[in-house]
Amino acid sequence: MSTRWLPKWKVVKIDVKGKEVEVCYDDDLKLYACPFCNPICKKGGIPDYSTYFYHVEDLIAHIIAHKNALWLKKRPQEIREEEEEGEEEENEED
């Protein structure tokens, strides 16, 4: 038994808002891979990093979200709030 996953990608086409997009699908694990996060899968390669989905609807939502790439942006307001809470806790200990 192997401890590594060796995907057997096949390229399938899905409809994303009326546009056909080629995505990778592994028949063994029934996983879809994002073609933007993992372009090497179209060549049959094994990615270092990617996002995978069991349901095509989730992949479509992820592909649509790529235009905003919200997961790459930090939310400064939340970060400041966390820092302020940490400072308040330190002050209370003094």
Side-chain angles (χ1 to χ4, degrees):
M1 183 173 163
S2 175
T3 58
R4 295 190 45 89
W5 168 44
L6 299 173
K8 295 176 184 160
W9 297 118
K10 72 177 185 180
V11 178
V12 297
K13 294 180 181 179
I14 62 171
D15 181 59
V16 179
K17 288 190 167 184
K19 184 179 177 185
E20 225 175 45
V21 177
E22 290 184 341
V23 300
C24 300
Y25 181 72
D26 180 22
D27 263 333
D28 291 338
L29 292 179
K30 310 291 188 225
L31 281 178
Y32 292 94
C34 174
F36 303 117
C37 296
N38 177 18
I40 196 168
C41 73
K42 289 184 182 178
K43 299 175 186 171
I46 300 172
D48 291 333
Y49 169 82
S50 188
T51 49
Y52 304 101
F53 302 90
Y54 285 109
H55 303 286
V56 72
E57 296 84 11
D58 295 334
L59 174 60
I60 291 170
H62 174 79
I63 289 172
I64 292 168
H66 258 281
K67 77 175 185 181
N68 296 324
L70 297 175
W71 53 88
L72 297 176
K73 298 176 184 174
K74 292 184 179 178
R75 295 183 186 168
Q77 192 173 34
E78 286 184 8
I79 292 171
R80 277 191 227 124
E81 288 175 13
E82 291 173 4
E83 289 174 357
E84 290 172 6
E85 289 174 8
E87 291 174 5
E88 288 175 11
E89 290 174 8
E90 289 176 12
N91 291 338
E92 288 176 8
E93 292 177 5
D94 291 338

